[in-house]
Amino acid sequence: MCDQTFLAITFGPCDNCSQNKPLMNIYLKNEPINYCSLCVELMACQGLAKGETIHTLKAESETLKGKLEEERAKLHDVELHQVAEKIEALGQFVMKTRRTLKGHGNKVLCMDWCRDKRRIVSSSQDGKVIVWDAYTTNKEHAVTMPCTWVMACAYAPSGCAVACGGLDNKCSVYPLSLDKNENLAAKKKSVAMHTNYLSSCSFTNSDMQILTSSGDGTCALWDVESGQLLQSFHGHSADVLSLNLAPSETGNTFVSGGCDKKANVWDMRSGQNVQSFETHESDINSVKYYPSGDAFATGSDDATCRLYDLRADREVAIYSKESIIFGASSVDFSLSGRLLFAGYNDYTINVWDVLKGTRVAILFGHENRVSTVRVSPDGTAFCSGSWDNTLRIWA
Amino acid sequence: MSSNSASLVSLQKSVKQLRKEAGFRRIKVSQAAEDLKKFCLDNAQKDPLLMGVPSSDNPFRPPKSCALL
């Protein structure tokens, strides 16, 4: 697509690069000059290192990509499932719905566990954010957001606040009060501002900072108290759909996945993209770190879940079956990392043996797409949220 | 003109990023896989969803009713 028009009335050697091309007739310091369009462009650009042109950069880009693939392939000496051959296969799994949380008026889009292992916050398309006691199924708090499609919600580490956001392009924090009659909406604090929908949010190790990802293609780290932007992360070329913090006390990296089919690992302090993985064939809906922090899993619209090892810097396993043709919307690991729970758009939850790459169970129960799956902090159960307006606790 | 210089800038950025990634120290998959396997096996006993816990210990599973004679 051209946003510039010029009459190529001459064709000949460019005054700058001497190549035979269509020439632009321009004036430099009142002297008529014939430059090819490339040289005109280069003249207008600053910041090029000595000897760099679009051609050299493109060439370097291709060689580097080739070199990276070569390096990664050299170290690919074995498959994960081969290393896992000698391990005992897992037995039959009996996992049933132990609680059903009913109360949302529309699709459940996101949920998060509180560190006390019993409370859950969930958000829905109807704008409601509800805090539940999963043991008793009682609703403890309910907030109505000023927007619909609340796609992200998170529990603060202290258990004293929840964060949520969606189509309002913001992430807001609501302190939870012990007084049931208090109007939570009154204490709302707007923390993050993006230029498109909020897809995911997560507190860091304290209540003081929140990490957000957005449809505007960026992730950002915010200070809750002041609402100040502390760091922004640019690198995705399309909506970022999911993020997950590395599981470490001193953790300062996180992984994000988006509609550009890429999963990027970021350094929170510098804002740098340290590693990038692009093997999925469609949008990555969910990313989750392996409990050791050395790997992460992704769930994608291409109907596969994949495991990427950070130290080997490549994909090491694919969890897929020909019979699974619907996208995976959400993934999470069990405590030891042996099991991967994945919720799909075909209303089921598949449980995978992470090491052997085989499916160990399919869980039926939801009557619409499963949108979110999270294992409880102590690993005794996991919760799934669905477009059928309910949440289910499985154990 | 502007779209061309924008693509030049993004090309510069991606080359810079690729240079960084080329310098990354990688380990063999066999080593990485062994470590993943070791972590799983070491922590298997502590994984309730994997091992299954008796109903009385799991707050979500209703304990089986006993008949008291």
PDB file of all heavy atoms in Angstrom, chain A residues 314-342:
ATOM      1  N   ARG A 314      13.334 -24.159  24.030  1.00  0.00           N
ATOM      2  CA  ARG A 314      12.516 -24.683  22.946  1.00  0.00           C
ATOM      3  C   ARG A 314      11.296 -25.420  23.479  1.00  0.00           C
ATOM      4  O   ARG A 314      11.200 -25.719  24.668  1.00  0.00           O
ATOM      5  CB  ARG A 314      13.333 -25.602  22.056  1.00  0.00           C
ATOM      6  CG  ARG A 314      13.889 -26.827  22.761  1.00  0.00           C
ATOM      7  CD  ARG A 314      14.476 -27.802  21.784  1.00  0.00           C
ATOM      8  NE  ARG A 314      13.463 -28.355  20.908  1.00  0.00           N
ATOM      9  CZ  ARG A 314      13.534 -28.325  19.583  1.00  0.00           C
ATOM     10  NH1 ARG A 314      14.558 -27.775  18.977  1.00  0.00           N
ATOM     11  NH2 ARG A 314      12.591 -28.863  18.849  1.00  0.00           N
ATOM     12  N   GLU A 315      10.404 -25.745  22.530  1.00  0.00           N
ATOM     13  CA  GLU A 315       9.230 -26.528  22.883  1.00  0.00           C
ATOM     14  C   GLU A 315       9.716 -27.951  23.145  1.00  0.00           C
ATOM     15  O   GLU A 315      10.521 -28.477  22.376  1.00  0.00           O
ATOM     16  CB  GLU A 315       8.282 -26.505  21.684  1.00  0.00           C
ATOM     17  CG  GLU A 315       7.087 -27.419  21.798  1.00  0.00           C
ATOM     18  CD  GLU A 315       6.369 -27.552  20.456  1.00  0.00           C
ATOM     19  OE1 GLU A 315       5.857 -26.531  19.961  1.00  0.00           O
ATOM     20  OE2 GLU A 315       6.340 -28.668  19.910  1.00  0.00           O
ATOM     21  N   VAL A 316       9.248 -28.582  24.210  1.00  0.00           N
ATOM     22  CA  VAL A 316       9.697 -29.950  24.511  1.00  0.00           C
ATOM     23  C   VAL A 316       8.570 -30.967  24.515  1.00  0.00           C
ATOM     24  O   VAL A 316       8.816 -32.166  24.583  1.00  0.00           O
ATOM     25  CB  VAL A 316      10.466 -30.039  25.847  1.00  0.00           C
ATOM     26  CG1 VAL A 316      11.789 -29.299  25.721  1.00  0.00           C
ATOM     27  CG2 VAL A 316       9.659 -29.497  26.995  1.00  0.00           C
ATOM     28  N   ALA A 317       7.322 -30.521  24.450  1.00  0.00           N
ATOM     29  CA  ALA A 317       6.217 -31.485  24.398  1.00  0.00           C
ATOM     30  C   ALA A 317       4.983 -30.822  23.800  1.00  0.00           C
ATOM     31  O   ALA A 317       4.776 -29.615  23.965  1.00  0.00           O
ATOM     32  CB  ALA A 317       5.891 -31.997  25.800  1.00  0.00           C
ATOM     33  N   ILE A 318       4.181 -31.652  23.098  1.00  0.00           N
ATOM     34  CA  ILE A 318       2.880 -31.176  22.597  1.00  0.00           C
ATOM     35  C   ILE A 318       1.820 -32.101  23.143  1.00  0.00           C
ATOM     36  O   ILE A 318       1.962 -33.332  23.081  1.00  0.00           O
ATOM     37  CB  ILE A 318       2.783 -31.254  21.060  1.00  0.00           C
ATOM     38  CG1 ILE A 318       3.917 -30.537  20.381  1.00  0.00           C
ATOM     39  CG2 ILE A 318       1.458 -30.643  20.608  1.00  0.00           C
ATOM     40  CD1 ILE A 318       3.751 -30.467  18.873  1.00  0.00           C
ATOM     41  N   TYR A 319       0.762 -31.545  23.661  1.00  0.00           N
ATOM     42  CA  TYR A 319      -0.336 -32.351  24.198  1.00  0.00           C
ATOM     43  C   TYR A 319      -1.519 -32.184  23.261  1.00  0.00           C
ATOM     44  O   TYR A 319      -2.192 -31.156  23.257  1.00  0.00           O
ATOM     45  CB  TYR A 319      -0.679 -31.903  25.623  1.00  0.00           C
ATOM     46  CG  TYR A 319       0.550 -31.884  26.499  1.00  0.00           C
ATOM     47  CD1 TYR A 319       1.199 -30.691  26.792  1.00  0.00           C
ATOM     48  CD2 TYR A 319       1.102 -33.070  26.976  1.00  0.00           C
ATOM     49  CE1 TYR A 319       2.359 -30.677  27.547  1.00  0.00           C
ATOM     50  CE2 TYR A 319       2.259 -33.064  27.737  1.00  0.00           C
ATOM     51  CZ  TYR A 319       2.891 -31.870  28.015  1.00  0.00           C
ATOM     52  OH  TYR A 319       4.040 -31.851  28.753  1.00  0.00           O
ATOM     53  N   SER A 320      -1.721 -33.200  22.429  1.00  0.00           N
ATOM     54  CA  SER A 320      -2.800 -33.074  21.442  1.00  0.00           C
ATOM     55  C   SER A 320      -3.300 -34.456  21.064  1.00  0.00           C
ATOM     56  O   SER A 320      -2.637 -35.462  21.312  1.00  0.00           O
ATOM     57  CB  SER A 320      -2.282 -32.372  20.191  1.00  0.00           C
ATOM     58  OG  SER A 320      -1.325 -33.184  19.543  1.00  0.00           O
ATOM     59  N   LYS A 321      -4.472 -34.475  20.462  1.00  0.00           N
ATOM     60  CA  LYS A 321      -5.052 -35.724  19.978  1.00  0.00           C
ATOM     61  C   LYS A 321      -5.849 -35.348  18.753  1.00  0.00           C
ATOM     62  O   LYS A 321      -6.437 -34.271  18.690  1.00  0.00           O
ATOM     63  CB  LYS A 321      -6.033 -36.280  21.020  1.00  0.00           C
ATOM     64  CG  LYS A 321      -5.445 -37.352  21.877  1.00  0.00           C
ATOM     65  CD  LYS A 321      -6.467 -37.881  22.854  1.00  0.00           C
ATOM     66  CE  LYS A 321      -6.497 -39.389  22.887  1.00  0.00           C
ATOM     67  NZ  LYS A 321      -5.228 -40.024  23.193  1.00  0.00           N
ATOM     68  N   GLU A 322      -5.936 -36.272  17.797  1.00  0.00           N
ATOM     69  CA  GLU A 322      -6.705 -35.964  16.594  1.00  0.00           C
ATOM     70  C   GLU A 322      -8.149 -35.676  16.899  1.00  0.00           C
ATOM     71  O   GLU A 322      -8.803 -34.918  16.193  1.00  0.00           O
ATOM     72  CB  GLU A 322      -6.618 -37.126  15.606  1.00  0.00           C
ATOM     73  CG  GLU A 322      -5.464 -36.946  14.657  1.00  0.00           C
ATOM     74  CD  GLU A 322      -5.460 -37.994  13.556  1.00  0.00           C
ATOM     75  OE1 GLU A 322      -6.553 -38.303  13.038  1.00  0.00           O
ATOM     76  OE2 GLU A 322      -4.375 -38.496  13.251  1.00  0.00           O
ATOM     77  N   SER A 323      -8.644 -36.308  17.969  1.00  0.00           N
ATOM     78  CA  SER A 323     -10.060 -36.126  18.303  1.00  0.00           C
ATOM     79  C   SER A 323     -10.336 -34.797  18.977  1.00  0.00           C
ATOM     80  O   SER A 323     -11.485 -34.400  19.126  1.00  0.00           O
ATOM     81  CB  SER A 323     -10.515 -37.253  19.229  1.00  0.00           C
ATOM     82  OG  SER A 323      -9.611 -37.337  20.322  1.00  0.00           O
ATOM     83  N   ILE A 324      -9.281 -34.091  19.387  1.00  0.00           N
ATOM     84  CA  ILE A 324      -9.496 -32.796  20.032  1.00  0.00           C
ATOM     85  C   ILE A 324      -9.324 -31.729  18.964  1.00  0.00           C
ATOM     86  O   ILE A 324      -8.230 -31.509  18.458  1.00  0.00           O
ATOM     87  CB  ILE A 324      -8.495 -32.555  21.163  1.00  0.00           C
ATOM     88  CG1 ILE A 324      -8.608 -33.652  22.214  1.00  0.00           C
ATOM     89  CG2 ILE A 324      -8.749 -31.197  21.800  1.00  0.00           C
ATOM     90  CD1 ILE A 324      -7.612 -33.490  23.346  1.00  0.00           C
ATOM     91  N   ILE A 325     -10.434 -31.082  18.611  1.00  0.00           N
ATOM     92  CA  ILE A 325     -10.354 -30.089  17.551  1.00  0.00           C
ATOM     93  C   ILE A 325     -10.721 -28.691  18.018  1.00  0.00           C
ATOM     94  O   ILE A 325     -10.652 -27.738  17.268  1.00  0.00           O
ATOM     95  CB  ILE A 325     -11.260 -30.472  16.355  1.00  0.00           C
ATOM     96  CG1 ILE A 325     -12.688 -30.700  16.842  1.00  0.00           C
ATOM     97  CG2 ILE A 325     -10.723 -31.721  15.673  1.00  0.00           C
ATOM     98  CD1 ILE A 325     -13.675 -30.900  15.700  1.00  0.00           C
ATOM     99  N   PHE A 326     -11.147 -28.589  19.285  1.00  0.00           N
ATOM    100  CA  PHE A 326     -11.494 -27.271  19.803  1.00  0.00           C
ATOM    101  C   PHE A 326     -10.340 -26.669  20.582  1.00  0.00           C
ATOM    102  O   PHE A 326      -9.549 -27.378  21.192  1.00  0.00           O
ATOM    103  CB  PHE A 326     -12.735 -27.368  20.689  1.00  0.00           C
ATOM    104  CG  PHE A 326     -14.011 -27.527  19.909  1.00  0.00           C
ATOM    105  CD1 PHE A 326     -14.403 -28.775  19.450  1.00  0.00           C
ATOM    106  CD2 PHE A 326     -14.797 -26.424  19.609  1.00  0.00           C
ATOM    107  CE1 PHE A 326     -15.569 -28.918  18.704  1.00  0.00           C
ATOM    108  CE2 PHE A 326     -15.963 -26.560  18.878  1.00  0.00           C
ATOM    109  CZ  PHE A 326     -16.349 -27.815  18.415  1.00  0.00           C
ATOM    110  N   GLY A 327     -10.286 -25.369  20.598  1.00  0.00           N
ATOM    111  CA  GLY A 327      -9.199 -24.668  21.262  1.00  0.00           C
ATOM    112  C   GLY A 327      -9.163 -24.903  22.766  1.00  0.00           C
ATOM    113  O   GLY A 327     -10.184 -25.136  23.392  1.00  0.00           O
ATOM    114  N   ALA A 328      -7.958 -24.836  23.317  1.00  0.00           N
ATOM    115  CA  ALA A 328      -7.778 -24.916  24.759  1.00  0.00           C
ATOM    116  C   ALA A 328      -7.772 -23.491  25.283  1.00  0.00           C
ATOM    117  O   ALA A 328      -7.007 -22.652  24.810  1.00  0.00           O
ATOM    118  CB  ALA A 328      -6.450 -25.595  25.081  1.00  0.00           C
ATOM    119  N   SER A 329      -8.652 -23.217  26.250  1.00  0.00           N
ATOM    120  CA  SER A 329      -8.772 -21.836  26.707  1.00  0.00           C
ATOM    121  C   SER A 329      -7.933 -21.544  27.939  1.00  0.00           C
ATOM    122  O   SER A 329      -7.600 -20.394  28.208  1.00  0.00           O
ATOM    123  CB  SER A 329     -10.229 -21.537  27.044  1.00  0.00           C
ATOM    124  OG  SER A 329     -10.652 -22.451  28.044  1.00  0.00           O
ATOM    125  N   SER A 330      -7.619 -22.589  28.724  1.00  0.00           N
ATOM    126  CA  SER A 330      -6.955 -22.336  29.997  1.00  0.00           C
ATOM    127  C   SER A 330      -6.202 -23.577  30.456  1.00  0.00           C
ATOM    128  O   SER A 330      -6.686 -24.688  30.261  1.00  0.00           O
ATOM    129  CB  SER A 330      -8.028 -21.960  31.020  1.00  0.00           C
ATOM    130  OG  SER A 330      -7.444 -21.674  32.249  1.00  0.00           O
ATOM    131  N   VAL A 331      -5.007 -23.377  31.031  1.00  0.00           N
ATOM    132  CA  VAL A 331      -4.223 -24.521  31.507  1.00  0.00           C
ATOM    133  C   VAL A 331      -3.697 -24.252  32.907  1.00  0.00           C
ATOM    134  O   VAL A 331      -3.498 -23.098  33.293  1.00  0.00           O
ATOM    135  CB  VAL A 331      -3.005 -24.811  30.578  1.00  0.00           C
ATOM    136  CG1 VAL A 331      -3.474 -25.209  29.194  1.00  0.00           C
ATOM    137  CG2 VAL A 331      -2.071 -23.627  30.518  1.00  0.00           C
ATOM    138  N   ASP A 332      -3.477 -25.332  33.664  1.00  0.00           N
ATOM    139  CA  ASP A 332      -2.811 -25.189  34.964  1.00  0.00           C
ATOM    140  C   ASP A 332      -2.181 -26.529  35.339  1.00  0.00           C
ATOM    141  O   ASP A 332      -2.662 -27.590  34.927  1.00  0.00           O
ATOM    142  CB  ASP A 332      -3.783 -24.729  36.053  1.00  0.00           C
ATOM    143  CG  ASP A 332      -3.038 -24.087  37.236  1.00  0.00           C
ATOM    144  OD1 ASP A 332      -1.780 -24.059  37.219  1.00  0.00           O
ATOM    145  OD2 ASP A 332      -3.704 -23.629  38.181  1.00  0.00           O
ATOM    146  N   PHE A 333      -1.123 -26.477  36.147  1.00  0.00           N
ATOM    147  CA  PHE A 333      -0.415 -27.676  36.585  1.00  0.00           C
ATOM    148  C   PHE A 333      -0.872 -28.097  37.969  1.00  0.00           C
ATOM    149  O   PHE A 333      -1.282 -27.281  38.786  1.00  0.00           O
ATOM    150  CB  PHE A 333       1.097 -27.391  36.683  1.00  0.00           C
ATOM    151  CG  PHE A 333       1.801 -27.299  35.376  1.00  0.00           C
ATOM    152  CD1 PHE A 333       2.107 -26.051  34.848  1.00  0.00           C
ATOM    153  CD2 PHE A 333       2.182 -28.440  34.690  1.00  0.00           C
ATOM    154  CE1 PHE A 333       2.781 -25.951  33.643  1.00  0.00           C
ATOM    155  CE2 PHE A 333       2.862 -28.339  33.481  1.00  0.00           C
ATOM    156  CZ  PHE A 333       3.163 -27.091  32.953  1.00  0.00           C
ATOM    157  N   SER A 334      -0.730 -29.403  38.249  1.00  0.00           N
ATOM    158  CA  SER A 334      -0.938 -29.847  39.629  1.00  0.00           C
ATOM    159  C   SER A 334       0.344 -29.467  40.392  1.00  0.00           C
ATOM    160  O   SER A 334       1.317 -29.041  39.780  1.00  0.00           O
ATOM    161  CB  SER A 334      -1.163 -31.361  39.670  1.00  0.00           C
ATOM    162  OG  SER A 334       0.028 -32.031  39.294  1.00  0.00           O
ATOM    163  N   LEU A 335       0.369 -29.672  41.705  1.00  0.00           N
ATOM    164  CA  LEU A 335       1.498 -29.197  42.527  1.00  0.00           C
ATOM    165  C   LEU A 335       2.857 -29.723  42.105  1.00  0.00           C
ATOM    166  O   LEU A 335       3.858 -28.997  42.172  1.00  0.00           O
ATOM    167  CB  LEU A 335       1.282 -29.605  43.991  1.00  0.00           C
ATOM    168  CG  LEU A 335       0.536 -28.641  44.889  1.00  0.00           C
ATOM    169  CD1 LEU A 335       0.754 -29.037  46.338  1.00  0.00           C
ATOM    170  CD2 LEU A 335       1.037 -27.226  44.699  1.00  0.00           C
ATOM    171  N   SER A 336       2.916 -31.012  41.695  1.00  0.00           N
ATOM    172  CA  SER A 336       4.216 -31.589  41.346  1.00  0.00           C
ATOM    173  C   SER A 336       4.558 -31.332  39.886  1.00  0.00           C
ATOM    174  O   SER A 336       5.653 -31.628  39.440  1.00  0.00           O
ATOM    175  CB  SER A 336       4.193 -33.097  41.569  1.00  0.00           C
ATOM    176  OG  SER A 336       3.273 -33.687  40.656  1.00  0.00           O
ATOM    177  N   GLY A 337       3.580 -30.814  39.138  1.00  0.00           N
ATOM    178  CA  GLY A 337       3.828 -30.575  37.723  1.00  0.00           C
ATOM    179  C   GLY A 337       3.619 -31.811  36.861  1.00  0.00           C
ATOM    180  O   GLY A 337       3.838 -31.776  35.653  1.00  0.00           O
ATOM    181  N   ARG A 338       3.185 -32.900  37.467  1.00  0.00           N
ATOM    182  CA  ARG A 338       2.997 -34.117  36.685  1.00  0.00           C
ATOM    183  C   ARG A 338       1.725 -34.074  35.840  1.00  0.00           C
ATOM    184  O   ARG A 338       1.640 -34.667  34.769  1.00  0.00           O
ATOM    185  CB  ARG A 338       2.951 -35.329  37.621  1.00  0.00           C
ATOM    186  CG  ARG A 338       2.837 -36.668  36.916  1.00  0.00           C
ATOM    187  CD  ARG A 338       4.123 -37.041  36.200  1.00  0.00           C
ATOM    188  NE  ARG A 338       3.933 -38.171  35.291  1.00  0.00           N
ATOM    189  CZ  ARG A 338       4.063 -39.444  35.656  1.00  0.00           C
ATOM    190  NH1 ARG A 338       4.376 -39.754  36.895  1.00  0.00           N
ATOM    191  NH2 ARG A 338       3.877 -40.402  34.764  1.00  0.00           N
ATOM    192  N   LEU A 339       0.712 -33.397  36.371  1.00  0.00           N
ATOM    193  CA  LEU A 339      -0.558 -33.308  35.653  1.00  0.00           C
ATOM    194  C   LEU A 339      -0.781 -31.919  35.088  1.00  0.00           C
ATOM    195  O   LEU A 339      -0.478 -30.919  35.745  1.00  0.00           O
ATOM    196  CB  LEU A 339      -1.726 -33.625  36.599  1.00  0.00           C
ATOM    197  CG  LEU A 339      -1.737 -35.007  37.235  1.00  0.00           C
ATOM    198  CD1 LEU A 339      -2.876 -35.091  38.247  1.00  0.00           C
ATOM    199  CD2 LEU A 339      -1.878 -36.101  36.185  1.00  0.00           C
ATOM    200  N   LEU A 340      -1.335 -31.868  33.867  1.00  0.00           N
ATOM    201  CA  LEU A 340      -1.699 -30.582  33.274  1.00  0.00           C
ATOM    202  C   LEU A 340      -3.198 -30.623  33.037  1.00  0.00           C
ATOM    203  O   LEU A 340      -3.708 -31.512  32.350  1.00  0.00           O
ATOM    204  CB  LEU A 340      -0.973 -30.378  31.939  1.00  0.00           C
ATOM    205  CG  LEU A 340      -1.279 -29.061  31.226  1.00  0.00           C
ATOM    206  CD1 LEU A 340      -0.655 -27.884  31.956  1.00  0.00           C
ATOM    207  CD2 LEU A 340      -0.769 -29.091  29.783  1.00  0.00           C
ATOM    208  N   PHE A 341      -3.907 -29.680  33.672  1.00  0.00           N
ATOM    209  CA  PHE A 341      -5.347 -29.592  33.489  1.00  0.00           C
ATOM    210  C   PHE A 341      -5.614 -28.546  32.424  1.00  0.00           C
ATOM    211  O   PHE A 341      -5.132 -27.424  32.528  1.00  0.00           O
ATOM    212  CB  PHE A 341      -6.026 -29.170  34.803  1.00  0.00           C
ATOM    213  CG  PHE A 341      -5.795 -30.138  35.916  1.00  0.00           C
ATOM    214  CD1 PHE A 341      -4.769 -29.933  36.829  1.00  0.00           C
ATOM    215  CD2 PHE A 341      -6.574 -31.284  36.050  1.00  0.00           C
ATOM    216  CE1 PHE A 341      -4.536 -30.835  37.851  1.00  0.00           C
ATOM    217  CE2 PHE A 341      -6.355 -32.186  37.066  1.00  0.00           C
ATOM    218  CZ  PHE A 341      -5.326 -31.965  37.965  1.00  0.00           C
ATOM    219  N   ALA A 342      -6.398 -28.911  31.399  1.00  0.00           N
ATOM    220  CA  ALA A 342      -6.670 -27.934  30.345  1.00  0.00           C
ATOM    221  C   ALA A 342      -8.151 -27.891  30.042  1.00  0.00           C
ATOM    222  O   ALA A 342      -8.781 -28.933  29.832  1.00  0.00           O
ATOM    223  CB  ALA A 342      -5.878 -28.306  29.083  1.00  0.00           C
TER     224      ALA A 342
END
